[in-house]
Structures are given as structure tokens and as C-alpha cells.
């Protein structure tokens, strides 16, 4: 299934960055790459259920390409696939609950944790890294 999302990988833990045009998917993906993540796909991602795991890949025609607003489309090192651990929906801070309830979404018959972030905030990269740590059970939300 093709979805409108960028995807980055942290050591085998993939995050889908979702949201409308101009919400910051590519911008946040670029900053995640600078923080040690690897590109899987920018703006369009193929997701498939493989033995109960949601796997993300890049469509062939855009492999290794990242759009950087104000610069252009840039060839970028990438990994061919990742196992999705979380979906991150990008939206303005005023639309995000301060203390949200845990949410999941079923994608291709696989439950995926869903988080909401403002991708343009200074802490967005650290929040994504924290989300990955939570989902991979290296950290825990206590309230």
C-alpha cells in the first residue's frame, strides 16, 4: 500500500512521518538524518504486512531522493527497508494534547502506535528519538 509519508530508520526501528503538504515531513526527516537516522523514503512510502510486522520501503522512482525546500531534490544515502515501530502525525503545536492518551492505528492489519508532534519545533528530533526509545521499551511513559 502506498501512503503519503516520509520514513526514517533508527537502527532497524522505522518511523513514519505523516501529514499534509508543507507540514514538515521532509524537513524533519532531514534533521533526523543529521541525528543519526537513515532515510528510507521521502514523501511516499510503501508499507506492507510481512508476517505480522509492518515493513516500509521506498517506491523505486524516488529511492535515495530527499526534497529539501529552498534547495531542491538531493541524492541521499538510504536503506531499502525498515520495520515500522511508530507513526508520527505532524501538526501545529496548538492542535496537540499536552498529555495525550496512548493511540494506535491499524495499518495493513498491524497495530502501530501513533504520536502527534509539531515537526518544526526545536525539540522535534529529540521527541522522535524518545518515541523510538519508548516503543522499543528502552524508556517508559509514567503518566
Amino acid at each position: 500500500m502506498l501512503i503519503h509519508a516520509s520514513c526514517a530508520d533508527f537502527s532497524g526501528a522505522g518511523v513514519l512521518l505523516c501529514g499534509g503538504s508543507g507540514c514538515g515531513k521532509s524537513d524533519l526527516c532531514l534533521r533526523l538524518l543529521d541525528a543519526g537516522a537513515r532515510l528510507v523514503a521521502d514523501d511516499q512510502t510503501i508499507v506492507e504486512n510481512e508476517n505480522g510486522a509492518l515493513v516500509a520501503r521506498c517506491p523505486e522512482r524516488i529511492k535515495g531522493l530527499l526534497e529539501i525546500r529552498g534547495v531542491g531534490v538531493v541524492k541521499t544515502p538510504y536503506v531499502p527497508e525498515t520495520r515500522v515501530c511508530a507513526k508520527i502525525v505532524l501538526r501545529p503545536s496548538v492542535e496537540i494534547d499536552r498529555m495525550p492518551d496512548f493511540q494506535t492505528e491499524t495499518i495493513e492489519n498491524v497495530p502501530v502506535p501513533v504520536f502527534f508532534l509539531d515537526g518544526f519545533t526545536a525539540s522535534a528530533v529529540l521527541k522522535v528519538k524518545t518515541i523510538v526509545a519508548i516503543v522499543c521499551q528502552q524508556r517508559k511513559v509514567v503518566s
Side-chain angles (χ1 to χ4, degrees):
M1 171 167 104
L2 182 68
I3 62 172
H4 185 215
S6 293
C7 184
D9 170 90
F10 282 97
S11 301
V15 290
L16 294 172
L17 305 174
C18 303
S21 181
C23 73
K25 295 181 297 294
S26 298
D27 185 88
L28 179 54
C29 197
L30 177 65
R31 288 180 282 136
L32 290 171
L33 299 181
D34 186 58
R38 299 174 299 167
L39 176 68
V40 177
D42 181 37
D43 201 48
Q44 295 182 24
T45 302
I46 297 168
V47 291
E48 296 176 313
N49 181 334
E50 291 190 4
N51 300 314
L54 190 65
V55 176
R57 294 184 181 87
C58 186
E60 192 65 38
R61 63 181 171 36
I62 60 170
K63 281 185 177 177
L65 300 177
L66 178 66
E67 180 185 341
I68 302 173
R69 193 175 295 259
V71 176
V73 177
V74 178
K75 282 190 163 265
T76 304
Y78 70 97
V79 294
E81 66 181 41
T82 188
R83 185 176 175 163
V84 175
C85 73
K87 175 180 177 178
I88 298 173
V89 179
L90 302 181
R91 56 175 54 157
S93 292
V94 296
E95 296 178 13
I96 299 171
D97 290 336
R98 190 169 165 210
M99 301 292 279
D101 292 327
F102 181 75
Q103 295 184 33
T104 62
E105 179 180 327
T106 300
I107 304 171
E108 293 291 297
N109 293 317
V110 178
V112 178
V114 178
F115 299 86
F116 299 89
L117 292 180
D118 182 337
F120 293 116
T121 60
S123 62
V125 169
L126 295 175
K127 288 178 181 178
V128 172
K129 289 174 97 173
T130 301
I131 287 167
V132 170
I134 290 166
V135 174
C136 292
Q137 299 179 342
Q138 296 164 343
R139 293 186 73 180
K140 186 175 180 174
V141 177
V142 294
S143 65

